[in-house]
Amino acid sequence: MSDVELSPRSAVRHVPVDAENAGVRLDKLLAQLLPGVPRSRIFRLIRRGEVRVNGRRAGPELRLAIGDSVRVPPVRESTPDAPRRVPASLIATVERSVIHEDERLLVLDKPAGLAVHGGSGLSYGVIEALRASRPDETLELAHRLDRDTSGCLIVARRPSALRALHALLREGAVGKSYLALVAGRWNLGRKSIEAPLRTDGRVGGERTVKVDAHGKAARTDFRLVEHFGARASLIEATLHTGRTHQIRVHAAHCGHPVLGDDKYGDAARNEQMAALGLKRMFLHAHSLTFAWPDTGKECSFSAPLPPDLKSVLDRLAAGRSGRGGGGGSRAAHGSA
């Protein structure tokens, strides 16, 4: 019985592990070597013992070492044309969003409304579009953004870069700052919220998260950027942990939900902001900073507020001025 009934069988390969792939899990390497084979089939091949490392059976979680030899069995792979299923318009949109690229990584200013990967009813997202556009590269998401969040997103171009970035993220050595428009007048100054978060099942097929003493540790630092009277405040949120929906839940927890957030926000205030042109959640990943551990080279990337969010701030500011209201600096959202 063939694995994928789409193309002729490949030949047996014995692949030596080089320095670039040292430390990579066996299942991850096979996904690179067999891009047309579903991951479920890869796990089946490993379970059957058709994949061998140095002549022996191995589990999918085995981390490979330089000099290991991986036997890749003959399988039927999907056709090379499979990536073309991603719409050309989406590929073009994603490629236009690339704001930096070097030998190790790509940095994108991800548009709002675009998922970072397929799943939950979506056939494709950012990573699938990039892989279709760059079929000869090994591309992996270094982290994730919610579908409705815009801004800086890192994609690793090498396994070694992915491992380094994941280590930095685990150590909290990647500075991640967001801009959010929240409900009400922020009078908390610089506020650090350390409230544990727990994923509370799924509602309508989507994960929901809540503050819970038995949840995972989470910390977000908030800083006021600008007041817009009693209606709204622009704040900067800096993540020290990377829990699901962390900024949104912490902001709501301290009484200032993110505007436009239909899950943790205030429906009445969201409706008022929709009248000012806010058609989605006002949350934007505006900067990322880190230093490569091997060279010490510091990297810093930023993405300005997209026009749809900036126009909302302009309308808020115009309304405030018309009432003779005061307050705050406009510098941050123009250059963030």
Side-chain angles (χ1 to χ4, degrees):
M1 186 73 174
S2 62
D3 280 275
V4 182
E5 302 289 343
L6 291 175
S7 67
R9 276 181 175 269
S10 60
V12 173
R13 288 182 282 168
H14 294 274
V15 179
V17 177
D18 56 17
E20 182 64 29
N21 286 306
V24 172
R25 283 172 48 125
L26 176 60
D27 57 329
K28 297 290 188 182
L29 179 64
L30 290 170
Q32 296 174 30
L33 297 173
L34 300 170
V37 177
R39 295 186 67 83
S40 59
R41 305 241 194 264
I42 288 174
F43 282 104
R44 188 184 308 161
L45 292 170
I46 295 172
R47 286 197 306 271
R48 288 174 178 170
E50 296 183 52
V51 175
R52 300 276 173 142
V53 178
N54 301 327
R56 298 178 180 178
R57 296 176 74 118
E61 73 286 346
L62 176 71
R63 293 198 178 273
L64 300 165
I66 296 176
D68 282 347
S69 176
V70 179
R71 178 189 185 272
V72 182
V75 297
R76 293 186 187 275
E77 301 181 26
S78 62
T79 64
D81 291 337
R84 294 180 185 172
R85 289 184 303 222
V86 180
S89 59
L90 176 59
I91 294 173
T93 295
V94 170
E95 282 290 350
R96 283 196 302 270
S97 73
V98 174
I99 58 176
H100 170 86
E101 63 179 286
D102 58 39
E103 61 185 12
R104 289 180 164 185
L105 54 80
L106 302 171
V107 181
L108 289 76
D109 181 2
K110 185 190 82 68
L114 182 58
V116 295
H117 59 75
S120 298
L122 300 170
S123 299
Y124 29 70
V126 169
I127 193 64
E128 288 82 10
L130 283 173
R131 287 170 179 162
S133 177
R134 303 164 183 244
D136 297 327
E137 294 194 39
T138 301
L139 301 172
E140 297 287 349
L141 292 164
H143 62 112
R144 286 164 171 73
L145 292 177
D146 291 342
R147 182 177 181 178
D148 290 335
T149 302
S150 54
C152 292
L153 177 70
I154 298 179
V155 174
R157 302 178 82 174
R158 293 181 173 183
S160 57
L162 182 66
R163 292 194 300 274
L165 288 165
H166 279 175
L168 290 170
L169 287 163
R170 284 194 303 271
E171 296 162 5
V174 178
K176 296 192 291 183
S177 292
Y178 294 67
L179 289 175
L181 189 68
V182 299
R185 185 177 182 88
W186 182 276
N187 291 319
L188 302 176
R190 290 180 178 268
K191 180 73 172 178
S192 181
I193 301 294
E194 294 188 67
L197 300 177
R198 189 187 81 184
T199 300
D200 194 35
R202 291 179 177 267
V203 176
E206 296 185 5
R207 286 178 295 182
T208 58
V209 179
K210 67 179 182 180
V211 172
D212 188 283
H214 301 291
K216 294 181 179 179
R219 175 186 165 190
T220 310
D221 291 347
F222 293 104
R223 176 183 70 86
L224 175 68
V225 176
E226 183 174 5
H227 278 141
F228 294 93
R231 303 178 74 184
S233 301
L234 182 67
I235 59 171
E236 180 183 54
T238 301
L239 289 177
H240 293 272
T241 51
R243 308 303 178 201
T244 300
H245 301 169
Q246 180 174 321
I247 292 172
R248 300 161 63 184
V249 177
H250 275 175
H253 179 66
C254 63
H256 296 277
V258 176
L259 289 166
D261 186 348
D262 59 7
K263 181 174 288 188
Y264 307 105
D266 183 308
R269 295 190 187 224
N270 288 347
E271 187 175 348
Q272 293 170 6
M273 293 306 300
L276 289 178
L278 183 61
K279 305 302 183 185
R280 51 105 165 180
M281 180 171 63
F282 198 122
L283 185 60
H284 177 72
H286 81 96
S287 70
L288 285 166
T289 58
F290 64 91
W292 288 112
D294 55 345
T295 65
K297 180 183 177 182
E298 294 189 0
C299 299
S300 181
F301 309 103
S302 64
L305 276 179
D308 65 320
L309 298 187
K310 189 174 182 300
S311 67
V312 172
L313 297 187
D314 290 340
R315 292 186 186 102
L316 280 169
R320 180 187 59 195
S321 298
R323 293 190 303 272
S329 167
R330 296 302 305 278
H333 74 76
S335 59

